[in-house]
Amino acid sequence: MFTKFQRKGLLTLAVLLVAFMTACGNNNANQSASPSEEASASSEAPASSEALSGTIEIDGSSTVYPIMEAVVEEFGKEQPDVKPAVSTSGTGGGFKRFCNAETAISNASRPIKDEEKAACQEKGIEYNELKIAFDGLSIVVNKDNDFIDHLTIAELAKIFGNEGTAKTWKEVRPEWPDEKILIFSPGADSGTFDYFNEAILDKKGLRTDDAVTLSEDDNTLVQGVAGSKNGIGFFGFAYYEENTDKLKLVPVDGGSGAIAPSAETIKDGTYAPLSRPLFIYVNKKEYERAEVKGFVEYFMNNVPTLSAEVGYIPLPEEQYTAEKAKL
């Protein structure tokens, strides 16, 4: 048995041991998170954790608009104080504003032209071109059209072209009805028009008679074709997919047989010559603003999923990596 003094000594020793161990533990904890390491950890925090605010002016292609709209909606859930203002002046109209320093981001359904590059250079606008998805320019007719099964490139040029001769369906193929063709086309500021003009019309331009209705708004073109039994038009594949109950898709024979646009044929390029990439252009100076940088980074990280959700075809993963590296 321990004496009273022995028990007191043991108790004192135990208290000292506990105090010593606690001190060691605190010292180790302090050593495990040095000031430099804490600073490093802080700098690695994700950018999305920072609350951002401000407005971002965006304009351009109505074809790209559904993708941009989807990204804006999702980004707003994380950064409600950032207000992107998105307009649809067409690719050409968007570049006019972009090269005049009126917008931070320009949506485009074609690459920037040399004269547009020169306009940007004149105003000192430097930019990054970012490819974001694939689209298939789609030829559509009225849902009740029961005679068109496909069209060739030559027939499309005959219908739409400035040098075309077909004013009625019968003039396209003799067995078709002797009814006046009504055309619904994007306007001259549209990248979709530019692409069609180059790929189908050999840059000779669209016909200009009273059978032609022009609009920069793809929804207006959808309504025009849907409301006209003898109507025909063209726009991005996503707009067709949104209106399959109103429109009939026309396969196109580009020389290798009639092929309809689909996710597969657009991505692998067999829907030729009407498969095309889509872009956004980002003003480098505007990108230095935290809200623009945060939005563009969010856009590029999420566009593969969101573009597919609204009917477009994502790029291969390695291509997105290359595009993001430009930033």
Side-chain angles (χ1 to χ4, degrees):
M1 296 294 292
F2 293 109
T3 67
K4 178 181 178 181
F5 295 105
Q6 287 175 320
R7 285 197 300 271
K8 185 177 180 180
L10 288 171
L11 180 59
T12 301
L13 179 61
V15 171
L16 290 172
L17 285 171
V18 170
F20 177 78
M21 293 173 66
T22 301
C24 289
N26 288 340
N27 187 52
N28 288 337
N30 290 335
Q31 290 178 352
S32 65
S34 66
S36 61
E37 289 170 329
E38 287 176 356
S40 175
S42 176
S43 68
E44 293 172 1
S48 60
S49 65
E50 180 186 355
L52 303 173
S53 63
T55 59
I56 305 172
E57 288 292 330
I58 304 169
D59 201 348
S61 168
S62 60
T63 301
V64 177
Y65 176 78
I67 301 175
M68 184 60 70
E69 182 184 38
V71 175
V72 166
E73 181 179 349
E74 293 303 313
F75 181 74
K77 296 174 183 178
E78 295 192 8
Q79 298 288 355
D81 292 329
V82 178
K83 307 297 182 184
V86 188
S87 303
T88 53
S89 299
T91 297
F95 277 134
K96 287 176 186 175
R97 294 192 65 201
F98 184 74
C99 294
N100 201 35
E102 296 176 21
T103 59
I105 299 170
S106 200
N107 300 330
S109 57
R110 60 160 171 80
I112 190 169
K113 295 179 179 179
D114 288 343
E115 58 265 33
E116 292 163 340
K117 291 179 183 178
C120 279
Q121 187 174 9
E122 184 179 340
K123 291 293 181 71
I125 306 296
E126 296 183 353
Y127 55 81
N128 276 316
E129 176 191 87
L130 302 175
K131 194 177 293 185
I132 60 170
F134 289 120
D135 178 39
L137 196 157
S138 302
I139 311 298
V140 297
V141 294
N142 186 274
K143 190 74 171 178
D144 295 330
N145 186 308
D146 58 2
F147 55 89
I148 295 181
D149 57 351
H150 77 282
L151 288 165
T152 65
I153 300 298
E155 288 170 337
L156 286 170
K158 196 174 184 180
I159 293 167
F160 288 95
N162 196 33
E163 298 179 356
T165 57
K167 301 296 188 285
T168 69
W169 290 115
K170 189 175 183 67
E171 291 173 326
V172 181
R173 292 188 202 175
E175 65 270 25
W176 286 355
D178 190 15
E179 299 285 349
K180 183 179 180 179
I181 302 171
L182 299 176
I183 292 173
F184 297 87
S185 166
D189 275 339
S190 167
T192 300
F193 170 82
D194 288 335
Y195 191 87
F196 188 84
N197 185 34
E198 183 172 345
I200 303 297
L201 305 181
D202 195 26
K203 297 184 179 181
K204 295 176 181 177
L206 190 75
R207 53 192 282 190
T208 56
D209 55 79
D210 63 358
V212 180
T213 299
L214 302 176
S215 177
E216 305 299 340
D217 185 349
D218 289 334
N219 287 308
T220 299
L221 304 179
V222 168
Q223 293 167 12
V225 177
S228 307
K229 187 174 181 180
N230 289 297
I232 184 170
F234 61 92
F235 37 74
F237 181 63
Y239 283 92
Y240 163 72
E241 285 212 313
E242 287 183 1
N243 297 277
T244 55
D245 58 328
K246 303 174 186 175
L247 304 171
K248 175 181 173 181
L249 191 64
V250 179
V252 174
D253 186 349
S256 303
I259 298 174
S262 68
E264 292 74 22
T265 61
I266 294 169
K267 189 171 185 176
D268 64 20
T270 55
Y271 180 60
L274 295 178
S275 297
R276 58 178 179 164
L278 302 176
F279 306 86
I280 63 170
Y281 287 75
V282 181
N283 181 311
K284 287 186 176 182
K285 185 176 180 180
E286 289 289 305
Y287 185 72
E288 294 174 5
R289 292 165 49 199
E291 64 270 30
V292 176
K293 184 175 188 292
F295 177 78
V296 172
E297 289 181 350
Y298 183 91
F299 186 104
M300 294 305 296
N301 286 332
N302 291 275
V303 72
T305 300
L306 294 176
S307 63
E309 286 183 5
V310 293
Y312 295 82
I313 292 80
L315 308 175
E317 186 177 344
E318 61 272 15
Q319 191 160 1
Y320 281 117
T321 301
E323 296 302 309
K324 287 188 282 187
K326 296 178 182 177
L327 296 170

